[in-house]
Amino acid sequence: MRMRPTLTWTPGTDLPPGTTDPEPVADALRTGGVLVLSGAGISTESGIPDYRGEGGSLSRHTPMTYQDFTGSPEARRRYWARSHLGRRTFGRARPNAGHRSVAAFARHGLLTGVITQNVDGLHQAAGSEDVVELHGSLDRVVCLSCGVLSARRELARRLEEANPGFSPVAAGINPDGDADLTDAQVGDFRVLPCTVCGGILKPDVVFFGENVPPGRVEHCRELVREASSLLVLGSSLTVMSGLRFVRQAAGAGKPVLIVNRDATRGDRLAVTRIALPLGPALTRVAEGLGVTVEDAATA
């Protein structure tokens, strides 16, 4: 029997308290060799909600699981209708000070790499290079039958043509680019097959209940082995896909530092958690290090 994926985590009362002093992050960056692991919280200041923070989307929305998507034509209809609409808003998001700070740290040689749990592409848009997209990217589509990858923009064009006039008003947008729509709003939205083999198309992202490709996991493990410290930015670390790298770093005696306003599942393994908004916190760190962060107009 398949188990539903873990979506929530309840912090215990004995977790170490957060601090508002970002100096430990600055100290780690001065030393160099820092590996960044980012989550949905780094994109909230770009207008993309997170899953579990205050007002997070899990309070009103259950994300699509791999099992539901592959097992139900109606689930796929709901997903593609909601995702097609949500992409219009999602695609307008721009990097914020947090993304731009990470890119600036990399340009100054302070980072060994960036692993992101996000599928929004905002690290790359801010100028970060060689970003490992742990959960994939919404910019790509994969066929579950023949494995062909294609650009999401091409599928979007096809869906526009197949569903003329589809423009319901969504109640909200979620971290995975999924818009909140009722079944009535989804209506008879037309889902399209792969143009190569006629198979089922899926966004090239890791759904809840789906495994991250083993090769990608091993690549991330190697990045952890090569790093001097691990800096977690905006992740509750609820799911194992990110938490395992925190456990690996801590087990190897490497300092783990977390910047997240709320408690995380990795707090007991971290040397500190800075409970500040990411943009202002990282901007403050950059200023202390003399690192120039590009403004929104030039990023």
Side-chain angles (χ1 to χ4, degrees):
M1 185 178 80
R2 289 186 180 273
M3 301 296 292
R4 300 291 288 185
T6 299
L7 299 181
T8 59
W9 164 77
T10 302
T13 58
D14 59 339
L15 286 177
T19 177
T20 56
D21 179 14
E23 189 58 27
V25 173
D27 290 341
L29 289 166
R30 287 190 189 96
T31 301
V34 176
L35 174 64
V36 165
L37 171 64
S38 72
I42 198 170
S43 293
T44 56
E45 292 167 39
S46 293
I48 299 175
D50 64 8
Y51 285 111
R52 301 174 181 85
E54 184 177 353
S57 68
L58 285 182
S59 63
R60 66 178 191 279
H61 161 73
T62 299
M64 178 63 66
T65 67
Y66 182 78
Q67 292 75 21
D68 289 340
F69 184 88
T70 56
S72 168
E74 284 306 311
R76 291 194 291 274
R77 183 193 307 276
R78 286 194 302 274
Y79 175 83
W80 279 118
R82 293 160 63 120
S83 184
H84 179 59
L85 181 66
R87 184 179 183 273
R88 300 172 186 171
T89 299
F90 203 77
R92 291 194 292 269
R94 293 295 177 264
N96 62 54
H99 301 107
R100 297 196 301 272
S101 295
V102 170
F105 297 148
R107 284 196 302 273
H108 283 74
L110 307 180
L111 305 181
T112 60
V114 177
I115 302 169
T116 185
Q117 297 172 281
N118 299 339
V119 296
D120 53 35
L122 292 179
H123 277 299
Q124 295 93 320
S128 290
E129 300 178 353
D130 299 322
V131 177
V132 180
E133 295 174 310
L134 188 63
H135 295 157
S137 171
L138 283 175
D139 282 343
R140 300 184 299 270
V141 178
V142 62
C143 174
L144 296 181
S145 295
C146 68
V148 166
L149 286 170
S150 56
R152 178 67 179 269
R153 62 178 178 275
E154 175 58 23
L155 177 61
R157 181 192 63 76
R158 293 174 60 208
L159 288 173
E160 290 284 355
E161 293 176 354
N163 298 277
F166 181 76
S167 57
V169 177
I173 303 295
N174 301 305
D176 51 7
D178 185 21
D180 284 329
L181 296 177
T182 65
D183 288 345
Q185 288 176 306
V186 170
D188 57 356
F189 185 87
R190 185 181 172 197
V191 177
L192 298 178
C194 172
T195 58
V196 176
C197 73
I200 294 172
L201 293 177
K202 172 184 171 291
D204 189 27
V205 300
V206 177
F207 282 174
F208 284 95
E210 185 179 7
N211 293 325
V212 178
R216 195 178 302 166
V217 173
E218 181 52 35
H219 177 43
C220 293
R221 289 198 182 279
E222 181 60 28
L223 290 176
V224 175
R225 285 192 285 268
E226 294 173 351
S228 298
S229 60
L230 180 65
L231 175 59
V232 180
L233 302 176
S235 176
S236 67
L237 301 170
T238 295
V239 295
M240 189 55 64
S241 65
L243 181 63
R244 60 183 148 200
F245 304 123
V246 170
R247 289 179 172 175
Q248 178 188 350
K254 302 174 188 284
V256 175
L257 304 97
I258 300 174
V259 185
N260 198 66
R261 286 196 287 186
D262 299 319
T264 84
R265 199 175 170 192
D267 282 6
R268 289 189 181 88
L269 301 173
V271 296
T272 186
R273 177 175 61 86
I274 295 92
L276 290 173
L278 272 161
L282 295 183
T283 299
R284 182 173 157 190
V285 168
E287 290 173 349
L289 294 174
V291 171
T292 300
V293 177
E294 294 183 353
D295 60 32
T298 59

